[in-house]
């Protein structure tokens, strides 16, 4: 019996040795991966805006509908980071994110609120259709938001202009942005919603500004 057990142990060791040859140990694989010169895709710069822009475009979701966590793009790494938990007793009324390959005067990509049936996880990509613009001043600085619908949501994809939304829906959106920073003693002012054409102009302007932004960086 002792001989049988000894033989089994030798077989197990031989099997482990063979497996180790085929599959490097975890730390070796990690070191090997770190030594390779690879670059991860950046959602702001490496994701296409889409051929239908400025009407239909790709959107990177940062914050899910119903979330009280303020996620945002970490521009250095390209990861979605936690900025803060909202101080007020409110949640984001719709999915919120940014349009890749755009930039505004504040050096951030243009923001977009996407109306659709379901919450979407942070970091996901979806197709959105611009239907309006919400002019906003955040602590004295321009911070306009594109209002959009999900282009692949059958309940909302046929909406083409913000005037087609129920007035109460617009009142909810406006109230959220007016209130969500109040407990931080920060002032936010929201102006009247503007039609789809103004959203197209804002997106096109941010696309052009992004081109200038990249050229300026590359010329340094």
């Amino acid at each position: 019996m002792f001989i049988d057990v000894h033989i089994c142990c030798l077989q197990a060791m031989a099997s482990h040795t063979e497996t180790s040859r085929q599959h490097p140990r975890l730390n070796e694989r990690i070191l090997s991966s770190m030594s390779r010169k690879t670059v991860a895709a950046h959602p702001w710069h490496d994701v296409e805006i889409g051929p239908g822009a400025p009407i239909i475009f790709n959107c990177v979701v940062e914050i899910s509908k119903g979330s009280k966590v303020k996620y945002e793009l970490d521009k250095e790494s390209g990861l979605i980071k936690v900025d803060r938990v909202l101080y007020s007793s409110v949640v984001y009324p719709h999915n919120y994110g940014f349009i890749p390959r755009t930039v505004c005067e504040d050096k951030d990509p243009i923001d977009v609120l996407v109306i659709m049936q379901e919450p979407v996880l942070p970091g996901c990509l979806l197709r959105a259709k611009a239907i309006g613009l919400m002019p906003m001043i955040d602590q004295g600085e321009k911070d306009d938001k594109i209002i959009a619908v999900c282009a692949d949501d059958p309940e909302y994809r046929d909406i083409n202009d913000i005037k087609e939304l129920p007035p109460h829906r617009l009142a909810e959106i406006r109230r959220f942005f007016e209130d969500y920073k109040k407990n931080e003693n920060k002032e936010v002012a929201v102006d009247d919603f503007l039609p789809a054409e103004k959203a197209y102009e804002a997106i096109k302007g941010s696309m052009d500004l992004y081109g200038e932004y990249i050229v300026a960086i590359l010329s340094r």
Side-chain angles (χ1 to χ4, degrees):
M1 180 175 176
F2 174 77
I3 294 173
D4 291 340
V5 171
H6 185 64
I7 291 171
C8 287
C9 288
L10 289 173
Q11 289 174 336
M13 290 172 65
S15 175
H16 176 74
T17 302
E18 182 62 29
T19 302
S20 296
R21 288 197 196 103
Q22 296 172 358
H23 305 287
R25 276 180 266 175
L26 180 60
N27 60 341
E28 293 174 356
R29 281 187 281 140
I30 291 171
L31 289 171
S32 174
S33 175
M34 289 174 67
S35 67
R36 291 196 298 268
K37 292 183 179 179
T38 57
V39 179
H42 197 295
W44 184 13
H45 306 298
D46 295 326
V47 176
E48 295 281 352
I49 192 171
I55 300 173
I56 295 178
F57 49 85
N58 288 323
C59 166
V60 178
V61 175
E62 294 171 292
I63 306 168
S64 301
K65 172 184 177 181
S67 176
K68 194 176 178 181
V69 180
K70 172 66 169 69
Y71 300 96
E72 66 178 29
L73 174 72
D74 179 58
K75 291 187 285 187
E76 184 71 24
S77 67
L79 296 174
I80 303 296
K81 69 177 183 179
V82 174
D83 177 61
R84 67 187 185 280
V85 176
L86 296 183
Y87 285 51
S88 299
S89 184
V90 293
V91 297
Y92 276 79
H94 300 285
N95 296 305
Y96 181 87
F98 66 88
I99 303 176
R101 298 191 179 181
T102 63
V103 71
C104 299
E105 291 86 349
D106 60 1
K107 306 303 181 189
D108 288 337
I110 195 166
D111 299 320
V112 56
L113 189 76
V114 185
I115 299 169
M116 57 189 298
Q117 297 180 68
E118 297 295 325
V120 175
L121 294 174
C124 286
L125 188 68
L126 61 80
R127 290 195 320 135
K129 178 167 67 171
I131 63 168
L133 180 72
M134 186 183 76
M136 190 172 114
I137 302 295
D138 187 348
Q139 301 173 79
E141 295 185 0
K142 184 179 178 182
D143 193 15
D144 296 350
K145 313 294 182 188
I146 301 297
I147 307 299
V149 294
C150 178
D152 298 299
D153 186 329
E155 184 172 335
Y156 292 100
R157 66 186 178 194
D158 295 322
I159 294 176
N160 295 306
D161 194 88
I162 201 163
K163 65 185 179 184
E164 299 172 42
L165 291 177
H168 183 71
R169 176 65 57 85
L170 298 179
E172 284 183 333
I173 293 170
R174 180 171 187 158
R175 189 69 182 197
F176 167 77
F177 284 101
E178 287 175 336
D179 289 351
Y180 81 129
K181 288 188 177 180
K182 276 194 173 178
N183 282 352
E184 299 174 66
N185 296 316
K186 294 178 179 178
E187 193 72 30
V188 176
V190 179
D191 209 338
D192 293 338
F193 291 92
L194 300 175
E197 288 79 7
K198 294 298 182 182
Y200 306 155
E201 290 175 12
I203 295 169
K204 184 64 170 60
S206 68
M207 292 166 66
D208 294 341
L209 200 58
Y210 179 82
E212 297 172 10
Y213 174 75
I214 293 300
V215 168
I217 290 175
L218 294 175
S219 63
R220 289 175 185 171

